[in-house]
PDB file of all heavy atoms in Angstrom:
ATOM      1  N   ASP M   5       4.128   9.132   1.456  1.00 81.00           N
ATOM      2  CA  ASP M   5       5.361   9.858   1.733  1.00 81.00           C
ATOM      3  C   ASP M   5       5.948  10.354   0.416  1.00 81.00           C
ATOM      4  O   ASP M   5       6.150   9.564  -0.514  1.00 81.00           O
ATOM      5  CB  ASP M   5       6.347   8.927   2.432  1.00 81.00           C
ATOM      6  CG  ASP M   5       7.610   9.649   2.916  1.00 81.00           C
ATOM      7  OD1 ASP M   5       7.936  10.705   2.348  1.00 81.00           O
ATOM      8  OD2 ASP M   5       8.259   9.133   3.846  1.00 81.00           O
ATOM      9  N   PRO M   6       6.253  11.664   0.284  1.00 79.00           N
ATOM     10  CA  PRO M   6       6.856  12.164  -0.962  1.00 79.00           C
ATOM     11  C   PRO M   6       8.116  11.427  -1.372  1.00 79.00           C
ATOM     12  O   PRO M   6       8.461  11.369  -2.553  1.00 79.00           O
ATOM     13  CB  PRO M   6       7.145  13.636  -0.637  1.00 79.00           C
ATOM     14  CG  PRO M   6       6.129  13.991   0.406  1.00 79.00           C
ATOM     15  CD  PRO M   6       5.966  12.740   1.234  1.00 79.00           C
ATOM     16  N   ALA M   7       8.805  10.822  -0.411  1.00 80.00           N
ATOM     17  CA  ALA M   7      10.016  10.058  -0.752  1.00 80.00           C
ATOM     18  C   ALA M   7       9.690   8.857  -1.616  1.00 80.00           C
ATOM     19  O   ALA M   7      10.553   8.344  -2.346  1.00 80.00           O
ATOM     20  CB  ALA M   7      10.716   9.608   0.528  1.00 80.00           C
ATOM     21  N   ASP M   8       8.435   8.390  -1.567  1.00 79.00           N
ATOM     22  CA  ASP M   8       8.033   7.236  -2.359  1.00 79.00           C
ATOM     23  C   ASP M   8       7.496   7.635  -3.734  1.00 79.00           C
ATOM     24  O   ASP M   8       7.155   6.777  -4.541  1.00 79.00           O
ATOM     25  CB  ASP M   8       6.948   6.441  -1.621  1.00 79.00           C
ATOM     26  CG  ASP M   8       7.475   5.826  -0.334  1.00 79.00           C
ATOM     27  OD1 ASP M   8       8.684   5.530  -0.286  1.00 79.00           O
ATOM     28  OD2 ASP M   8       6.686   5.655   0.605  1.00 79.00           O
ATOM     29  N   ASN M   9       7.373   8.908  -3.959  1.00 79.00           N
ATOM     30  CA  ASN M   9       6.816   9.376  -5.228  1.00 79.00           C
ATOM     31  C   ASN M   9       7.843   9.255  -6.343  1.00 79.00           C
ATOM     32  O   ASN M   9       9.031   9.037  -6.104  1.00 79.00           O
ATOM     33  CB  ASN M   9       6.336  10.827  -5.097  1.00 79.00           C
ATOM     34  CG  ASN M   9       5.109  10.948  -4.212  1.00 79.00           C
ATOM     35  OD1 ASN M   9       4.480   9.945  -3.893  1.00 79.00           O
ATOM     36  ND2 ASN M   9       4.778  12.164  -3.812  1.00 79.00           N
ATOM     37  N   GLN M  10       7.367   9.427  -7.556  1.00 76.00           N
ATOM     38  CA  GLN M  10       8.275   9.369  -8.700  1.00 76.00           C
ATOM     39  C   GLN M  10       8.096  10.633  -9.519  1.00 76.00           C
ATOM     40  O   GLN M  10       7.029  10.863 -10.077  1.00 76.00           O
ATOM     41  CB  GLN M  10       7.962   8.151  -9.563  1.00 76.00           C
ATOM     42  CG  GLN M  10       9.027   7.893 -10.607  1.00 76.00           C
ATOM     43  CD  GLN M  10       8.831   6.571 -11.320  1.00 76.00           C
ATOM     44  OE1 GLN M  10       7.789   5.968 -11.206  1.00 76.00           O
ATOM     45  NE2 GLN M  10       9.812   6.136 -12.064  1.00 76.00           N
ATOM     46  N   PRO M  11       9.132  11.495  -9.534  1.00 80.00           N
ATOM     47  CA  PRO M  11      10.452  11.318  -8.897  1.00 80.00           C
ATOM     48  C   PRO M  11      10.362  11.439  -7.375  1.00 80.00           C
ATOM     49  O   PRO M  11       9.433  12.043  -6.859  1.00 80.00           O
ATOM     50  CB  PRO M  11      11.283  12.445  -9.502  1.00 80.00           C
ATOM     51  CG  PRO M  11      10.291  13.501  -9.844  1.00 80.00           C
ATOM     52  CD  PRO M  11       9.054  12.762 -10.292  1.00 80.00           C
ATOM     53  N   ALA M  12      11.335  10.875  -6.723  1.00 85.00           N
ATOM     54  CA  ALA M  12      11.326  10.872  -5.259  1.00 85.00           C
ATOM     55  C   ALA M  12      11.256  12.300  -4.730  1.00 85.00           C
ATOM     56  O   ALA M  12      11.975  13.191  -5.187  1.00 85.00           O
ATOM     57  CB  ALA M  12      12.581  10.179  -4.740  1.00 85.00           C
ATOM     58  N   GLY M  13      10.355  12.502  -3.789  1.00 89.00           N
ATOM     59  CA  GLY M  13      10.208  13.811  -3.186  1.00 89.00           C
ATOM     60  C   GLY M  13       9.247  14.738  -3.891  1.00 89.00           C
ATOM     61  O   GLY M  13       8.997  15.853  -3.429  1.00 89.00           O
ATOM     62  N   TYR M  14       8.666  14.291  -5.004  1.00 88.00           N
ATOM     63  CA  TYR M  14       7.743  15.164  -5.754  1.00 88.00           C
ATOM     64  C   TYR M  14       6.464  15.406  -4.965  1.00 88.00           C
ATOM     65  O   TYR M  14       5.836  14.470  -4.453  1.00 88.00           O
ATOM     66  CB  TYR M  14       7.394  14.534  -7.095  1.00 88.00           C
ATOM     67  CG  TYR M  14       6.274  15.263  -7.822  1.00 88.00           C
ATOM     68  CD1 TYR M  14       6.500  16.512  -8.389  1.00 88.00           C
ATOM     69  CD2 TYR M  14       4.995  14.703  -7.896  1.00 88.00           C
ATOM     70  CE1 TYR M  14       5.473  17.180  -9.039  1.00 88.00           C
ATOM     71  CE2 TYR M  14       3.970  15.373  -8.537  1.00 88.00           C
ATOM     72  CZ  TYR M  14       4.208  16.616  -9.112  1.00 88.00           C
ATOM     73  OH  TYR M  14       3.202  17.282  -9.743  1.00 88.00           O
ATOM     74  N   VAL M  15       6.092  16.667  -4.874  1.00 91.00           N
ATOM     75  CA  VAL M  15       4.829  17.080  -4.277  1.00 91.00           C
ATOM     76  C   VAL M  15       4.153  18.034  -5.265  1.00 91.00           C
ATOM     77  O   VAL M  15       4.781  18.994  -5.708  1.00 91.00           O
ATOM     78  CB  VAL M  15       5.041  17.788  -2.922  1.00 91.00           C
ATOM     79  CG1 VAL M  15       3.695  18.270  -2.361  1.00 91.00           C
ATOM     80  CG2 VAL M  15       5.728  16.855  -1.935  1.00 91.00           C
ATOM     81  N   PRO M  16       2.907  17.772  -5.641  1.00 91.00           N
ATOM     82  CA  PRO M  16       2.247  18.670  -6.586  1.00 91.00           C
ATOM     83  C   PRO M  16       2.214  20.098  -6.047  1.00 91.00           C
ATOM     84  O   PRO M  16       1.927  20.318  -4.861  1.00 91.00           O
ATOM     85  CB  PRO M  16       0.829  18.089  -6.689  1.00 91.00           C
ATOM     86  CG  PRO M  16       0.974  16.657  -6.306  1.00 91.00           C
ATOM     87  CD  PRO M  16       2.048  16.637  -5.268  1.00 91.00           C
ATOM     88  N   PRO M  17       2.538  21.084  -6.887  1.00 92.00           N
ATOM     89  CA  PRO M  17       2.510  22.477  -6.431  1.00 92.00           C
ATOM     90  C   PRO M  17       1.076  22.951  -6.207  1.00 92.00           C
ATOM     91  O   PRO M  17       0.126  22.317  -6.654  1.00 92.00           O
ATOM     92  CB  PRO M  17       3.171  23.229  -7.586  1.00 92.00           C
ATOM     93  CG  PRO M  17       2.878  22.388  -8.791  1.00 92.00           C
ATOM     94  CD  PRO M  17       2.926  20.967  -8.299  1.00 92.00           C
ATOM     95  N   ALA M  18       0.933  24.062  -5.526  1.00 96.00           N
ATOM     96  CA  ALA M  18      -0.398  24.628  -5.285  1.00 96.00           C
ATOM     97  C   ALA M  18      -1.056  25.019  -6.596  1.00 96.00           C
ATOM     98  O   ALA M  18      -2.270  24.885  -6.764  1.00 96.00           O
ATOM     99  CB  ALA M  18      -0.292  25.829  -4.353  1.00 96.00           C
ATOM    100  N   VAL M  19      -0.267  25.530  -7.538  1.00 97.00           N
ATOM    101  CA  VAL M  19      -0.768  25.944  -8.853  1.00 97.00           C
ATOM    102  C   VAL M  19       0.088  25.280  -9.913  1.00 97.00           C
ATOM    103  O   VAL M  19       1.315  25.427  -9.922  1.00 97.00           O
ATOM    104  CB  VAL M  19      -0.723  27.477  -9.026  1.00 97.00           C
ATOM    105  CG1 VAL M  19      -1.202  27.868 -10.426  1.00 97.00           C
ATOM    106  CG2 VAL M  19      -1.576  28.153  -7.957  1.00 97.00           C
ATOM    107  N   TRP M  20      -0.557  24.538 -10.813  1.00 94.00           N
ATOM    108  CA  TRP M  20       0.179  23.832 -11.863  1.00 94.00           C
ATOM    109  C   TRP M  20       0.754  24.809 -12.872  1.00 94.00           C
ATOM    110  O   TRP M  20       0.086  25.777 -13.291  1.00 94.00           O
ATOM    111  CB  TRP M  20      -0.734  22.844 -12.571  1.00 94.00           C
ATOM    112  CG  TRP M  20      -0.054  22.054 -13.653  1.00 94.00           C
ATOM    113  CD1 TRP M  20       0.712  20.946 -13.495  1.00 94.00           C
ATOM    114  CD2 TRP M  20      -0.088  22.307 -15.062  1.00 94.00           C
ATOM    115  NE1 TRP M  20       1.177  20.485 -14.702  1.00 94.00           N
ATOM    116  CE2 TRP M  20       0.689  21.315 -15.694  1.00 94.00           C
ATOM    117  CE3 TRP M  20      -0.698  23.285 -15.850  1.00 94.00           C
ATOM    118  CZ2 TRP M  20       0.877  21.267 -17.074  1.00 94.00           C
ATOM    119  CZ3 TRP M  20      -0.506  23.253 -17.229  1.00 94.00           C
ATOM    120  CH2 TRP M  20       0.276  22.246 -17.828  1.00 94.00           C
ATOM    121  N   VAL M  21       1.988  24.577 -13.287  1.00 93.00           N
ATOM    122  CA  VAL M  21       2.658  25.375 -14.305  1.00 93.00           C
ATOM    123  C   VAL M  21       3.159  24.429 -15.382  1.00 93.00           C
ATOM    124  O   VAL M  21       3.800  23.411 -15.081  1.00 93.00           O
ATOM    125  CB  VAL M  21       3.834  26.180 -13.714  1.00 93.00           C
ATOM    126  CG1 VAL M  21       4.559  26.948 -14.817  1.00 93.00           C
ATOM    127  CG2 VAL M  21       3.343  27.130 -12.628  1.00 93.00           C
ATOM    128  N   ASN M  22       2.867  24.747 -16.638  1.00 91.00           N
ATOM    129  CA  ASN M  22       3.293  23.888 -17.746  1.00 91.00           C
ATOM    130  C   ASN M  22       4.810  23.845 -17.847  1.00 91.00           C
ATOM    131  O   ASN M  22       5.482  24.872 -17.732  1.00 91.00           O
ATOM    132  CB  ASN M  22       2.701  24.413 -19.056  1.00 91.00           C
ATOM    133  CG  ASN M  22       2.938  23.448 -20.215  1.00 91.00           C
ATOM    134  OD1 ASN M  22       3.056  22.240 -20.018  1.00 91.00           O
ATOM    135  ND2 ASN M  22       3.011  23.981 -21.416  1.00 91.00           N
ATOM    136  N   GLN M  23       5.343  22.649 -18.078  1.00 85.00           N
ATOM    137  CA  GLN M  23       6.769  22.475 -18.274  1.00 85.00           C
ATOM    138  C   GLN M  23       6.990  21.230 -19.114  1.00 85.00           C
ATOM    139  O   GLN M  23       6.132  20.344 -19.167  1.00 85.00           O
ATOM    140  CB  GLN M  23       7.496  22.342 -16.936  1.00 85.00           C
ATOM    141  CG  GLN M  23       6.943  21.245 -16.032  1.00 85.00           C
ATOM    142  CD  GLN M  23       7.608  21.256 -14.669  1.00 85.00           C
ATOM    143  OE1 GLN M  23       8.819  21.422 -14.562  1.00 85.00           O
ATOM    144  NE2 GLN M  23       6.828  21.079 -13.618  1.00 85.00           N
ATOM    145  N   PRO M  24       8.115  21.154 -19.814  1.00 77.00           N
ATOM    146  CA  PRO M  24       8.365  19.983 -20.662  1.00 77.00           C
ATOM    147  C   PRO M  24       8.297  18.692 -19.865  1.00 77.00           C
ATOM    148  O   PRO M  24       8.889  18.588 -18.787  1.00 77.00           O
ATOM    149  CB  PRO M  24       9.780  20.233 -21.203  1.00 77.00           C
ATOM    150  CG  PRO M  24       9.957  21.717 -21.124  1.00 77.00           C
ATOM    151  CD  PRO M  24       9.198  22.139 -19.889  1.00 77.00           C
ATOM    152  N   SER M  25       7.562  17.720 -20.398  1.00 75.00           N
ATOM    153  CA  SER M  25       7.402  16.462 -19.685  1.00 75.00           C
ATOM    154  C   SER M  25       7.985  15.279 -20.432  1.00 75.00           C
ATOM    155  O   SER M  25       8.009  14.164 -19.911  1.00 75.00           O
ATOM    156  CB  SER M  25       5.915  16.196 -19.417  1.00 75.00           C
ATOM    157  OG  SER M  25       5.195  16.162 -20.632  1.00 75.00           O
ATOM    158  N   GLY M  26       8.429  15.504 -21.652  1.00 74.00           N
ATOM    159  CA  GLY M  26       8.980  14.414 -22.440  1.00 74.00           C
ATOM    160  C   GLY M  26       7.897  13.530 -23.010  1.00 74.00           C
ATOM    161  O   GLY M  26       6.707  13.819 -22.922  1.00 74.00           O
ATOM    162  N   GLY M  27       8.307  12.427 -23.612  1.00 72.00           N
ATOM    163  CA  GLY M  27       7.333  11.527 -24.217  1.00 72.00           C
ATOM    164  C   GLY M  27       7.154  11.795 -25.697  1.00 72.00           C
ATOM    165  O   GLY M  27       7.541  12.846 -26.225  1.00 72.00           O
ATOM    166  N   GLN M  28       6.525  10.853 -26.367  1.00 73.00           N
ATOM    167  CA  GLN M  28       6.424  10.885 -27.823  1.00 73.00           C
ATOM    168  C   GLN M  28       5.653  12.084 -28.344  1.00 73.00           C
ATOM    169  O   GLN M  28       5.923  12.586 -29.423  1.00 73.00           O
ATOM    170  CB  GLN M  28       5.774   9.584 -28.315  1.00 73.00           C
ATOM    171  CG  GLN M  28       5.699   9.474 -29.832  1.00 73.00           C
ATOM    172  CD  GLN M  28       5.323   8.081 -30.273  1.00 73.00           C
ATOM    173  OE1 GLN M  28       5.550   7.103 -29.572  1.00 73.00           O
ATOM    174  NE2 GLN M  28       4.747   7.978 -31.459  1.00 73.00           N
ATOM    175  N   PHE M  29       4.662  12.553 -27.586  1.00 72.00           N
ATOM    176  CA  PHE M  29       3.798  13.607 -28.091  1.00 72.00           C
ATOM    177  C   PHE M  29       4.027  14.947 -27.396  1.00 72.00           C
ATOM    178  O   PHE M  29       3.206  15.852 -27.501  1.00 72.00           O
ATOM    179  CB  PHE M  29       2.331  13.185 -27.933  1.00 72.00           C
ATOM    180  CG  PHE M  29       2.025  11.879 -28.621  1.00 72.00           C
ATOM    181  CD1 PHE M  29       1.820  10.722 -27.881  1.00 72.00           C
ATOM    182  CD2 PHE M  29       1.959  11.804 -29.994  1.00 72.00           C
ATOM    183  CE1 PHE M  29       1.547   9.517 -28.510  1.00 72.00           C
ATOM    184  CE2 PHE M  29       1.685  10.601 -30.639  1.00 72.00           C
ATOM    185  CZ  PHE M  29       1.485   9.460 -29.892  1.00 72.00           C
ATOM    186  N   ALA M  30       5.146  15.091 -26.711  1.00 72.00           N
ATOM    187  CA  ALA M  30       5.397  16.305 -25.943  1.00 72.00           C
ATOM    188  C   ALA M  30       5.418  17.549 -26.817  1.00 72.00           C
ATOM    189  O   ALA M  30       5.016  18.635 -26.383  1.00 72.00           O
ATOM    190  CB  ALA M  30       6.712  16.172 -25.184  1.00 72.00           C
TER     191      ALA M  30
END
Side-chain angles (χ1 to χ4, degrees):
D5 187 336
D8 295 331
N9 290 347
Q10 191 171 13
Y14 170 72
V15 177
V19 178
W20 181 82
V21 177
N22 188 28
Q23 54 186 318
S25 58
Q28 184 168 335
F29 303 107

